[in-house]
Amino acid sequence: MVLLEINGQSRQLEVPNDMPLLWAIRDVAQLTGTKFGCGMALCGACTVHLDNEPVRACVTPVSAAVGKKITTVEAVGEDKVGQAVQRAWLELGVAQCGYCQAGQIMSATALLRATPNPTDEEIDEAMSGNICRCGTYPRIRAAIKLVAKGGTK
Amino acid sequence: MSQELMMDLPDINRRRLLKGVGIATGLALTIGINDLVRAAVAEPAKKYGGDAMPGGLKEDVLVFVSIGSDGIVNIVAHRSEMGQGVRTSLPLVIADEMEADWARVRVVQAEANEAKYGNQNTDGSRSMRHHFEPMRRIGATARMMLETAAAAKWGVPRNEVRARNHQVVHQPSGKTLGYGELAVAAAKFPVPVRDNLKLKSAAEFRYIGKQNTRNVDGQKIVTGTTHYGIDTQLKGMLHAVIARPPVLGGKVKSFDASAALKVPGVLKVLELKSSSLLPPLFHPLGGIAVLASNTWAAIKGREALKIVWDHGANAVYDSQTYRKILEAAARKPAKVVRNHGDAAGVLARDGKKFVAEYYQPHIAHGTMEPPAATAQIVNGKCEAWACVQDPQAALDAVAAHLGFKPVNVRVNVTLLGGGFGRKSKPDYVVEAALLSQAMKGKPVKVTWTREDDLHHDYFHTVSLEHMECALDAKGMPTAWLHRTTAPTIASTFVANAKGGAPFELGMGAVNIPFNIPHMRVESPEVQAHTRIGWFRSVSNIPHAFAVQSFVAELAHNAKRDHRDYLLELLGPARKVNPDSIEDGWNYGESPQRYPLDVGRMRHVVELVTSKAGWGRKLPKGHGLGLAFCYSFVTYIAAVVEVVVGEDGEISIPRVDIAVDCGPQVNPDRIRSQAEGACIMGASLTLTGEISFKNGAAQQSNFHEYQVLRIDEAPREIHVHMVEHALDVPLGGVGEPVTPTIAPAICNAIFAATGKRIRTLPIRDQLKA
Ligand code: FES
Ligand code: FES
């Protein structure tokens, strides 16, 4: 039994300590916005925030999340920056299939919180762990810049 | 109305539709118009386009549209959404024609049922091409019935009323009635026959061709509340992963599950029968399934399995050896599939010649959402939820494997986290259904891990393209020989099929409209050793890589500008009947309606080169490369700018793409498809490779099968659209851009460095 705080709610989950946070969130807490893409920290689809820091949930054991605030894409919009990112994503029609976008949004939100006006290199650095097989990268870059400029309503 | 039509509309379908949409209480429009065309017009000898597809086209307003008394218009999306925007683009056509307000439209996803909806196989860049006109007619039918109902209610002549933005207006008095108020009455009026339908003029469009209709799933995507195939949660559901035979045709010799069963959460280990018989079709591969209370436990359980495999005959498959087999086959005369003049004779004579060969390995689709499906069986009926491009194929395959009648199987279509052709093959849905059956009907979700996805794809084929030309004194080809050598997709459907199928040869091998006196294409026969499938643009990819690289090589050899040389090869603007160049396939389209239009081909080449600043002066290490493609009846040309660093590092600052896909319905989604296909094309060019050893795929996850990331992707992609009026038929959108990118990149690298790439992927070839 592990006690986790997910999106502001305490959740008692019956999972072993070494279960990756991804599967605890998806299969046990039944929040499926966070995605599985590789299981090896290679694609970023599973990105969530632990105390506002982006982590790959597929390689983070639940034990490492105990006592920390877990935020998933379902709640990232409660934060000003997260909401601005979501709006920019809609405004520029970033998503194609959308499957990677939860992870992209979590990474972009973390980037913009730490670096409100990132350079292209900083965007590359923060976002290159997130694969988009549909190839939405040019729009992701543009949407991040739109948020930086304060361009979303 | 035909008997067949009546049978397509049983009451149960109507109820299901209403139930599916929840609050649509006042059913609007009764009786379908369906395939009146087919009944009314004398049946042509051969069917084309959507009419030739399984299930054909259905134009039944009842099936596709219902209106609630609250005025909400429910429109059915019968094709699968995988990022191309079809759940938005097809419904917006109906909404526009019926004068519905997009803000009051709700899109309802259809379940698998081609008898009811017409063809649903979301593949071959066909959705808008085949369904634009039927959707318009459905919308116009709904609009006219609503107008008739309003006129009757007011007791005014029919020609005094007009539907406008979700209501009908009586023009002389200005009275209005909302669609919700008219729904029930409209249902009582006869459906206008097709000949009496009044379609809107293009000037009257509100959504078609505009950019004012946002993606219907956008909000849910950014808040993580959509439902993909991998997201299904059912009460009491078991989570399964499967250890499949590493080699196609292999099977389990023996296994020991004792350690797996000790993993906490693992509930059951089951053997799935291996289908070692060819052809592979959509059969599951068999293997050992681990069922658990969560996905993680199932994965851990699978790691603990001890399995001894019998690898079978395909264990010989080795990509290095196989390349030699392809080369040997490509260097010998083979079956002639196009022959104009006497290319063989001209090439046999002495004279200037140019020969080159181009190789591309297998690639995997690598959809970000790996295949996943859930199934349960209740009272002898199976219900599945799955990310499928071809819902009806999934239903039929499930029914066949379970031994159920198709009416006892329902397949619900979720969103697809990418498709690219992989998810047209529903083997994973059958796995879920078989496991549920083995577990007495309990709901079972099968999740493919990334390793499963890369090891057991229906791979894009490996290929060796052998090109030969005889040249005149000016370096222009007098004879052309293309031997296209690859295991065929047909081998997935017919045991041991060999040689290019018409649909493969018709993707840029036979149907090259060059102005060369002697043209010959040959198709050697080689054996497949793995499941071969279609991948976004299919055979256009190797063919365009070879043909477009070869032409650039010929231009260089002739000391000519590539663009000018290419335009000279294309010759004057003219319409070529595909039959006249031995392309009887023509993407399934009528040769009269869809001739190969060299004028449009020339135009995209001219447009893209002018937009990209072809011929402009570039800094050292930069180069521009050009390529074109005629893919899925759409005309594409691309110019790529590359930079090759001193260390051989490649970057792509800019790509220009000209797209002529006929009239545009949702221009922003056409652009996004072009951008995505461009990046996928760059990905397969730079790093895409699946190789085989001892019969098994060698790459297991994204560290070994590398796909492009944001820092490597083209920095700027400019898409230039060619405008058309509605008299031009629509072309495909999802696939056509992909094949231009590899040759354009390689041609740009040659311009930048003088190094010619003939083997994909490029990886570190420039670093040596
Ligand atoms: S699933 Fe965690 S990084 Fe890919
Ligand atoms: S939008 Fe499909 S993987 Fe990114």
Side-chain angles (χ1 to χ4, degrees):
Chain A
M1 188 77 81
V2 176
L3 183 65
L4 295 178
E5 190 195 321
I6 308 177
N7 298 335
Q9 288 187 331
S10 295
R11 300 285 299 261
Q12 291 262 357
L13 301 181
E14 224 168 296
V15 298
N17 271 324
D18 63 344
M19 179 186 277
L21 186 55
L22 171 65
W23 300 113
I25 291 172
R26 283 184 57 83
D27 289 354
V28 188
Q30 304 210 336
L31 285 167
T32 54
T34 306
K35 298 304 189 214
F36 166 71
C38 70
M40 287 178 70
L42 296 166
C43 78
C46 64
T47 306
V48 299
H49 294 173
L50 272 195
D51 283 345
N52 287 332
E53 288 298 318
V55 298
R56 308 296 184 222
C58 67
V59 293
T60 306
V62 286
S63 57
V66 173
K68 300 201 171 152
K69 282 206 279 276
I70 304 164
T71 311
T72 71
V73 67
E74 285 94 339
V76 75
E78 286 163 23
D79 165 273
K80 261 215 188 101
V81 178
Q83 194 178 80
V85 168
Q86 288 172 328
R87 282 195 187 146
W89 249 241
L90 288 174
E91 207 154 306
L92 298 187
V94 171
Q96 289 186 31
C97 81
Y99 190 80
C100 74
Q101 299 298 344
Q104 306 281 3
I105 285 169
M106 298 310 284
S107 292
T109 302
L111 165 68
L112 284 159
R113 265 207 218 113
T115 315
N117 199 359
T119 61
D120 277 323
E121 290 65 40
E122 285 165 332
I123 293 174
D124 282 349
E125 167 109 20
M127 301 303 294
S128 60
N130 289 81
I131 294 173
C132 174
R133 189 67 169 140
C134 295
T136 62
Y137 302 129
R139 293 191 193 215
I140 288 173
R141 186 183 300 280
I144 290 172
K145 290 183 176 175
L146 184 63
V147 177
K149 275 192 290 193
T152 57
K153 287 146 257 158
Chain B
M1 194 174 301
S2 69
Q3 277 298 322
E4 186 192 352
L5 172 56
M6 298 293 284
M7 281 161 56
D8 283 347
L9 303 167
D11 261 351
I12 180 127
N13 287 349
R14 185 186 310 177
R15 279 201 301 276
R16 189 186 282 164
L17 178 69
L18 287 173
K19 211 168 138 221
V21 300
I23 58 149
T25 46
L27 172 69
L29 309 160
T30 59
I31 316 177
I33 52 164
N34 218 319
D35 297 339
L36 289 182
V37 214
R38 277 189 251 179
V41 188
E43 195 82 350
K46 191 170 174 198
K47 289 183 182 178
Y48 295 107
D51 287 319
M53 297 298 295
L57 299 170
K58 298 280 189 274
E59 300 189 19
D60 193 315
V61 73
L62 168 69
V63 164
F64 282 89
V65 182
S66 65
I67 305 176
S69 49
D70 56 358
I72 293 290
V73 170
N74 299 287
I75 299 180
V76 169
H78 67 306
R79 315 277 294 177
S80 300
E81 178 62 63
M82 52 191 146
Q84 81 282 43
V86 77
R87 265 169 58 85
T88 303
S89 304
L90 283 177
L92 80 79
V93 175
I94 293 184
D96 196 333
E97 276 289 356
M98 75 177 280
E99 275 291 323
D101 171 13
W102 188 245
R104 283 176 275 176
V105 167
R106 184 175 309 153
V107 173
V108 183
Q109 186 66 39
E111 80 288 2
N113 190 345
E114 289 192 344
K116 180 175 171 190
Y117 302 108
N119 184 266
Q120 295 181 274
N121 183 6
T122 315
D123 206 301
S125 298
R126 282 186 292 244
S127 289
M128 196 51 79
R129 187 168 111 222
H130 287 178
H131 298 269
F132 175 60
E133 288 169 13
M135 294 296 126
R136 286 187 73 191
R137 288 191 289 265
I138 289 168
T141 307
R143 163 171 43 82
M144 290 173 72
M145 290 172 77
L146 288 158
E147 285 174 340
T148 304
K153 238 182 190 165
W154 288 319
V156 301
R158 175 76 181 65
N159 60 10
E160 287 183 3
V161 306
R162 218 175 138 211
R164 193 78 198 117
N165 197 24
H166 233 81
Q167 57 186 11
V168 180
V169 185
H170 179 232
Q171 288 170 313
S173 69
K175 280 186 293 200
T176 62
L177 278 167
Y179 281 6
E181 301 166 271
L182 289 166
V184 175
K188 303 203 175 91
F189 288 89
V191 177
V193 296
R194 179 161 155 173
D195 280 351
N196 295 342
L197 283 180
K198 272 206 202 64
L199 297 180
K200 282 182 166 183
S201 70
E204 294 170 301
F205 289 154
R206 298 149 52 94
Y207 307 129
I208 295 169
K210 316 282 189 258
Q211 292 192 177
N212 53 3
T213 41
R214 276 189 178 170
N215 181 342
V216 294
D217 299 305
Q219 180 68 30
K220 285 188 162 183
I221 285 172
V222 300
T223 52
T225 49
T226 44
H227 179 188
Y228 295 90
I230 204 171
D231 294 333
T232 304
Q233 307 272 359
L234 297 175
K235 215 170 165 277
M237 182 177 82
L238 303 173
H239 298 257
V241 298
I242 301 170
R244 299 174 186 80
V247 180
L248 178 66
K251 41 182 194 276
V252 177
K253 222 188 251 169
S254 63
F255 73 103
D256 173 3
S258 50
L261 286 164
K262 288 195 190 105
V263 173
V266 170
L267 302 165
K268 185 103 187 157
V269 174
L270 278 172
E271 179 166 0
L272 268 177
K273 211 176 82 217
S274 292
S275 56
S276 50
L277 290 178
L278 293 176
L281 296 169
F282 300 146
H283 298 323
L285 293 167
I288 306 296
V290 178
L291 295 102
S293 57
N294 62 75
T295 315
W296 172 243
I299 292 171
K300 297 289 281 180
R302 182 171 70 175
E303 281 168 13
L305 286 173
K306 291 193 193 68
I307 307 173
V308 181
W309 302 102
D310 170 358
H311 291 308
N314 286 318
V316 296
Y317 194 33
D318 176 294
S319 291
Q320 279 181 10
T321 316
Y322 195 74
R323 180 170 180 164
K324 300 204 175 75
I325 292 171
L326 290 175
E327 285 168 352
R331 289 169 193 169
K332 288 198 302 251
K335 186 177 165 200
V336 181
V337 291
R338 177 178 171 193
N339 196 20
H340 282 233
D342 179 24
V346 175
L347 283 162
R349 274 179 235 142
D350 282 345
K352 245 189 130 209
K353 262 172 240 150
F354 203 96
V355 182
E357 288 179 347
Y358 303 87
Y359 174 83
Q360 190 196 6
H362 287 294
I363 51 179
H365 300 81
T367 55
M368 279 314 291
E369 176 198 34
T374 304
Q376 68 178 9
I377 299 170
V378 179
N379 297 330
K381 289 185 198 258
C382 176
E383 182 162 18
W385 292 260
C387 45
V388 282
Q389 284 177 247
D390 190 348
Q392 185 69 47
L395 188 154
D396 293 342
V398 165
H401 279 271
L402 292 180
F404 283 19
K405 287 199 187 112
V407 291
N408 290 328
V409 179
R410 181 182 165 96
V411 174
N412 304 293
V413 180
T414 65
L415 285 190
L416 283 62
F420 317 124
R422 170 61 182 95
K423 290 174 183 169
S424 322
K425 296 100 173 171
D427 51 337
Y428 48 101
V429 192
V430 178
E431 289 176 337
L434 287 174
L435 288 175
S436 175
Q437 191 174 45
M439 298 303 291
K440 302 201 172 70
K442 270 200 180 154
V444 176
K445 172 157 74 181
V446 171
T447 299
W448 285 43
T449 61
R450 183 59 57 196
E451 290 78 6
D452 299 336
D453 176 49
L454 296 179
H455 287 158
H456 305 293
D457 197 0
Y458 287 78
F459 297 97
H460 173 71
T461 195
V462 57
S463 57
L464 194 289
E465 309 292 324
H466 176 95
M467 314 292 302
E468 275 184 45
C469 259
L471 299 170
D472 67 15
K474 287 187 181 150
M476 293 305 291
T478 53
W480 168 281
L481 170 68
H482 178 181
R483 260 187 225 120
T484 172
T485 316
T488 173
I489 289 168
S491 64
T492 295
F493 300 94
V494 179
N496 297 312
K498 297 187 195 76
F503 66 85
E504 292 167 315
L505 299 167
M507 294 200 207
V510 294
N511 54 341
I512 287 294
F514 287 157
N515 213 6
I516 299 173
H518 306 279
M519 291 285 285
R520 186 180 179 96
V521 182
E522 297 179 10
S523 171
E525 299 196 336
V526 288
Q527 175 77 38
H529 296 285
T530 185
R531 303 194 293 186
I532 310 290
W534 45 99
F535 176 105
R536 195 179 200 168
S537 227
V538 203
S539 308
N540 283 297
I541 298 170
H543 293 156
F545 171 51
V547 171
Q548 302 295 314
S549 299
F550 192 55
V551 170
E553 295 206 44
L554 294 176
H556 176 75
N557 177 64
K559 303 196 170 49
R560 297 271 309 274
D561 173 73
H562 179 197
R563 170 184 171 278
D564 296 346
Y565 188 93
L566 184 61
L567 289 172
E568 190 175 331
L569 265 186
L570 278 169
R574 65 200 183 278
K575 291 189 173 128
V576 178
N577 183 334
D579 286 332
S580 75
I581 50 174
E582 286 156 75
D583 175 18
W585 179 59
N586 199 37
Y587 295 96
E589 301 292 354
S590 140
Q592 282 74 40
R593 205 156 169 248
Y594 286 90
L596 210 173
D597 190 331
V598 177
R600 289 171 75 185
M601 186 67 85
R602 290 182 63 95
H603 180 65
V604 287
V605 170
E606 286 162 347
L607 177 65
V608 79
T609 45
S610 95
K611 294 284 185 186
W614 185 255
R616 74 185 136 100
K617 211 161 158 34
L618 294 164
K620 190 170 175 288
H622 288 238
L624 293 182
L626 166 67
F628 78 71
C629 188
Y630 174 64
S631 173
F632 296 88
V633 293
T634 281
Y635 301 81
I636 304 285
V639 170
V640 174
E641 180 178 350
V642 301
V643 186
V644 182
E646 305 244 300
D647 53 354
E649 199 70 48
I650 301 163
S651 60
I652 304 175
R654 175 172 175 142
V655 180
D656 287 82
I657 304 165
V659 178
D660 178 354
C661 59
Q664 305 158 36
V665 173
N666 192 346
D668 181 63
R669 287 302 91 184
I670 299 174
R671 287 171 189 280
S672 65
Q673 284 301 291
E675 293 160 9
C678 168
I679 286 169
M680 188 164 270
S683 203
L684 68 89
T685 309
L686 298 174
T687 57
E689 175 164 22
I690 295 286
S691 56
F692 284 78
K693 209 175 164 74
N694 299 325
Q698 294 297 289
Q699 289 73 18
S700 64
N701 209 316
F702 289 126
H703 58 310
E704 291 165 337
Y705 184 68
Q706 291 181 10
V707 298
L708 242 58
R709 295 168 182 273
I710 194 168
D711 54 330
E712 307 150 320
R715 187 52 67 88
E716 282 177 28
I717 302 173
H718 300 267
V719 181
H720 313 286
M721 306 290 308
V722 177
E723 304 282 336
H724 282 288
L726 290 174
D727 56 338
V728 172
L730 277 72
V733 168
E735 298 174 80
V737 168
T738 320
T740 52
I741 303 303
I745 289 176
C746 294
N747 293 342
I749 287 172
F750 183 81
T753 66
K755 281 194 192 149
R756 175 52 62 181
I757 303 285
R758 290 178 178 164
T759 292
L760 294 182
I762 299 170
R763 211 176 277 130
D764 53 7
Q765 289 180 60
L766 297 179
K767 295 198 174 155

